């Protein structure tokens, strides 16, 4: 057990043998070194953003290159930090503040942001993480993008809108000049329970609901999503 803020909203992501946990109250980012388990657990609270009082974030994501993205912060911007030099003391790199970012996914120097209040997801170039530059934005099915996740080949994107009766929607993003909606999946057409987060692995999507557990959907054909 590691002491942390009592915020109801906390989210962990991992990098190597480290865990990074956000909260929506105060105290910054909890960083836990898991390498000493089960004998002991080492942890610290981090908020080292030069010239700013970083205290909280709603969600986070760690990409394949060792950068962490802190979304929904009290600084009204997404913060980007490099974990590689010292995983227990991230290095602040830059920020993205075109719109409020509720959650995100990043791979191969491209960032995909759920801009919930803007009703869209964006695709953003982060080769230079000090100056992220958006390529394109796409309005989602219920215009309330809560989370996004990519297929393993980066060709398809799956989105949840945090509203009653909203589907999990698949998009073909192989051509960013022509993003195409492929299919919408609902656990039930008569079910108002909200699809909260979805993720993709090996052609399956796993979606957790706010009051209805988890569904597993066959996404081998992204234009024909089938619950199994």
């Amino acid at each position: 057990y590691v002491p942390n803020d009592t915020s109801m909203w906390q989210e962990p992501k991992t990098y190597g043998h480290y865990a990074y946990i956000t909260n929506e109250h105060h105290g910054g980012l909890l960083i836990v070194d898991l390498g000493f388990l089960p004998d002991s657990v080492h942890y610290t609270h981090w908020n080292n953003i030069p010239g700013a009082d970083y205290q909280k974030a709603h969600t986070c994501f760690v990409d394949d290159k060792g950068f962490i993205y802190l979304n929904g912060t009290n600084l009204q911007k997404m913060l980007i930090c490099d974990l590689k030099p010292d995983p227990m003391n991230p290095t602040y790199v830059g920020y993205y503040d075109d719109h409020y970012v509720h959650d995100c996914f990043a791979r191969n120097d491209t960032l995909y942001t759920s801009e919930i209040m803007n009703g869209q997801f964006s695709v953003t170039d982060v080769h230079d993480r000090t100056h992220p530059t958006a390529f394109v934005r796409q309005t989602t099915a219920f215009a309330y993008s809560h989370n996004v996740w990519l297929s393993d080949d980066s060709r398809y994107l799956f989105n949840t809108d945090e509203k009653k009766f909203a589907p999990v929607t698949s998009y073909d993003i192989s051509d960013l000049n022509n993003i195409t909606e492929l299919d919408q999946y609902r656990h039930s057409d008569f079910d108002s329970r909200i699809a909260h987060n979805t993720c993709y692995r090996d052609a399956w999507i796993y979606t957790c609901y706010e009051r209805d557990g988890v569904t597993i959907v066959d996404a081998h054909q992204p234009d024909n999503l089938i619950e199994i």
Side-chain angles (χ1 to χ4, degrees), residues 23-198:
N23 79 80
E24 270 215 330
H25 191 194
H26 64 76
L29 183 68
L30 173 63
I31 304 175
V32 183
D33 186 343
L34 309 173
F36 297 92
L37 295 175
D39 297 330
S40 63
V41 60
H42 298 199
Y43 64 91
T44 187
H45 290 86
W46 174 91
N47 67 345
N48 186 22
I49 302 296
D53 183 25
Y54 163 63
Q55 289 292 325
K56 62 182 182 178
H58 184 60
T59 62
C60 63
F61 186 84
V62 177
D63 71 12
D64 52 326
K65 295 193 173 184
F67 292 92
I68 189 169
Y69 304 80
L70 301 171
N71 309 303
T73 71
N74 62 292
L75 302 178
Q76 307 304 311
K77 58 187 71 175
M78 168 199 280
L79 304 176
I80 305 172
C81 302
D82 191 351
L83 304 178
K84 296 184 293 297
D86 183 356
M88 291 293 281
N89 184 27
T91 302
Y92 171 69
V93 174
Y95 66 88
Y96 172 88
D97 67 349
D98 286 10
H99 296 280
Y100 169 79
V101 176
H102 186 81
D103 206 346
C104 69
F105 184 99
R107 179 187 290 160
N108 295 334
D109 296 322
T110 304
L111 173 68
Y112 306 83
T113 60
S114 287
E115 300 178 354
I116 191 167
M117 301 302 181
N118 197 40
Q120 300 176 322
F121 68 78
S122 74
V123 184
T124 298
D125 182 356
V126 288
H127 282 86
D128 179 1
R129 286 171 175 79
T130 64
H131 294 96
T133 304
F135 289 126
V136 67
R137 288 187 170 85
Q138 173 72 31
T139 299
T140 56
F142 274 51
Y144 210 65
S145 178
H146 180 270
N147 105 292
V148 293
W149 207 276
L150 284 192
S151 61
D152 297 338
D153 61 6
S154 301
R155 179 176 178 180
Y156 304 105
L157 179 144
F158 301 86
N159 174 83
T160 60
D161 288 318
E162 194 182 21
K163 286 188 175 182
K164 292 181 178 180
F165 302 104
V168 179
T169 307
S170 58
Y171 296 88
D172 185 338
I173 61 167
S174 57
D175 180 359
L176 291 179
N177 294 313
N178 185 31
I179 295 175
T180 305
E181 180 181 314
L182 298 176
D183 198 14
Q184 296 185 1
Y185 155 76
R186 289 179 177 84
H187 177 52
S188 167
D189 288 337
F190 308 101
D191 193 345
S192 64
R193 294 179 175 92
I194 295 172
H196 194 248
N197 277 356
T198 195

